[in-house]
Amino acid sequence: MLVNDLKALFHNQLDAIYGKDEVFTFFFMLTEAYSNISRLDVALDINLSITKAEQQPFFDALEQLKKQQPIQYIIGETEFFGLPFKVNSNTLIPRPETEELVQLIMDSYTNKASVNNASILDVGTGSGCIAISLAKNIAKSTVHALDVSAKAIQNASENAMLNQVYVNFLESSILEDTTWDSVFKDLKFDTIVSNPPYVRQLEKQAMSANVLENEPHLALFVDDDNPLIFYKAITNFALKYLKPKGELFFEINEYLGRETVDLLIHSGFENVQLKQDFFGKDRMVFGRKK
Ligand SMILES: C[S@@+](CC[C@H](N)C(=O)[O-])C[C@H]1O[C@@H](n2cnc3c(N)ncnc32)[C@H](O)[C@@H]1O
């Protein structure tokens, strides 16, 4: 079959669901993942063809796309901070906003030449995207990462191997403060970072079906009556386990910026700042322990 005919079939069956541009992107993500054919190859060689055996994964992907399954879960891999990450339905698909959070932490280390052998903790690591990106990019750092989900820890461990970095993964709930001493023993951190669950139930109706029906709810949702539950627990944790002058970084719900800033200020953090993401939405809050 000609690759161009296969591409036409994708447009034919999916344009009405996703729009032409998105289908174009999906198709090339699939050709690169399944047959190592680049966009340029397709554009330059209109007679390029693939065998019957090579076609099958494309037909399977087409069916999954029709059901609005995320392309990253279909391919089983995505890119974050320039690195490859395996993803599956047990882990949130890493978002570009979270790359901005990682960049913020990287910048903080550029300004902190005095910190050697930085000790970093990522709470709610999921695919490990934050922890692994920091381990890869901050020289001589020791990175620890926590998640309540054993399947997420499994996925994150595979990603650490894939990216050839060491991360100390811990399976535990940050909400159970009685376990902290046994899990963390005498560890103290220069940086604690978290992108915890922060979507309220009341925001569900504004979410797209492919997120709601495919991504793990454990990673997404909090109760409407206590939307900052993770931020409160992690802030208390940071008061105990951050070194003096250590920093706490959060990705936040765009509608709860003021409340998260107040939480850090009332907990005694200094230099507390709210930062917007690329789209101009309140997305990051950070502060320094006294
Ligand atoms: C929004 S996802 C973030 C995943 C990843 N860090 C990222 O930025 O893509 C939140 C993560 O918190 C984890 N989580 C949920 N409840 C938790 C708890 N009580 N203790 C620790 N982790 C928890 C979920 O399993 C999920 O992996």
Side-chain angles (χ1 to χ4, degrees):
M1 182 181 200
L2 290 178
V3 174
N4 270 318
D5 288 345
L6 187 60
K7 183 165 165 282
L9 180 72
F10 268 64
H11 281 298
N12 203 325
Q13 304 213 4
L14 298 175
D15 280 4
I17 308 174
Y18 296 100
K20 211 173 175 47
D21 289 352
E22 208 169 358
V23 175
F24 186 84
T25 305
F26 290 164
F27 185 75
F28 286 113
M29 286 171 81
L30 291 167
T31 56
E32 274 164 15
Y34 294 158
S35 31
N36 235 343
I37 297 173
S38 71
R39 287 167 202 228
L40 201 60
D41 295 333
V42 181
L44 293 180
D45 184 357
I46 53 168
N47 292 318
L48 194 68
S49 63
I50 55 173
T51 65
K52 211 171 173 73
E54 286 170 333
Q55 289 162 29
Q56 194 52 48
F58 287 90
F59 292 136
D60 295 343
L62 182 60
E63 290 313 308
Q64 289 170 286
L65 285 168
K66 279 192 212 164
K67 292 185 202 138
Q68 304 216 23
Q69 289 177 10
I71 187 81
Q72 295 89 341
Y73 287 158
I74 296 172
I75 293 173
E77 196 167 306
T78 190
E79 195 184 288
F80 181 88
F81 220 72
L83 301 171
F85 284 86
K86 302 261 176 227
V87 285
N88 59 47
S89 57
N90 299 306
T91 46
L92 192 85
I93 297 165
R95 305 293 204 269
E97 301 89 289
T98 311
E99 293 181 309
E100 296 186 54
L101 181 69
V102 170
Q103 187 60 56
L104 197 62
I105 298 169
M106 298 275 303
D107 294 345
S108 83
Y109 274 92
T110 316
N111 303 331
K112 260 192 300 211
S114 60
V115 177
N116 272 321
N117 307 316
S119 175
I120 299 171
L121 173 69
D122 172 27
V123 179
T125 198
S127 62
C129 58
I130 298 175
I132 291 165
S133 303
L134 293 174
K136 193 88 187 167
N137 286 290
I138 299 180
K140 294 192 196 154
S141 57
T142 306
V143 181
H144 309 261
L146 172 89
D147 206 288
V148 72
S149 158
K151 288 180 174 166
I153 292 287
Q154 170 69 30
N155 179 228
S157 305
E158 285 165 17
N159 282 325
M161 280 207 291
L162 178 67
N163 285 291
Q164 298 178 313
V165 290
Y166 174 75
V167 173
N168 177 29
F169 289 108
L170 304 158
E171 183 191 327
S172 185
S173 169
I174 198 67
L175 298 180
E176 287 174 27
D177 55 5
T178 53
T179 64
W180 291 351
D181 282 344
S182 61
V183 174
F184 293 95
K185 302 198 171 65
D186 45 12
L187 287 173
K188 293 274 178 188
F189 304 102
D190 297 290
T191 299
I192 296 175
V193 54
S194 187
N195 172 21
Y198 59 64
V199 184
R200 292 168 293 179
Q201 305 290 331
L202 60 87
E203 293 165 62
K204 259 186 182 170
Q205 73 243 27
M207 294 174 74
S208 65
N210 77 335
V211 174
L212 261 182
E213 285 165 22
N214 294 288
E215 299 202 60
H217 287 200
L218 178 67
L220 292 168
F221 292 108
V222 285
D223 288 341
D224 290 355
D225 56 8
N226 194 4
L228 294 185
I229 182 169
F230 284 96
Y231 297 86
K232 290 176 190 165
I234 296 164
T235 302
N236 280 334
F237 177 88
L239 287 173
K240 194 165 174 198
Y241 290 94
L242 262 183
K243 294 178 190 170
K245 305 291 173 199
E247 288 184 299
L248 175 58
F249 291 85
F250 282 131
E251 180 171 321
I252 61 155
N253 182 320
E254 65 192 88
Y255 306 112
L256 297 172
R258 192 66 255 161
E259 289 85 341
T260 315
V261 165
D262 287 347
L263 171 67
L264 286 200
I265 291 173
H266 291 143
S267 303
F269 280 75
E270 54 186 23
N271 196 26
V272 177
Q273 292 179 51
L274 173 64
K275 201 169 182 318
Q276 286 73 39
D277 63 21
F278 180 77
F279 302 103
K281 294 178 175 171
D282 287 348
R283 189 59 70 198
M284 290 151 274
V285 168
F286 54 101
R288 191 170 56 212
K289 190 176 160 184
K290 284 187 181 141

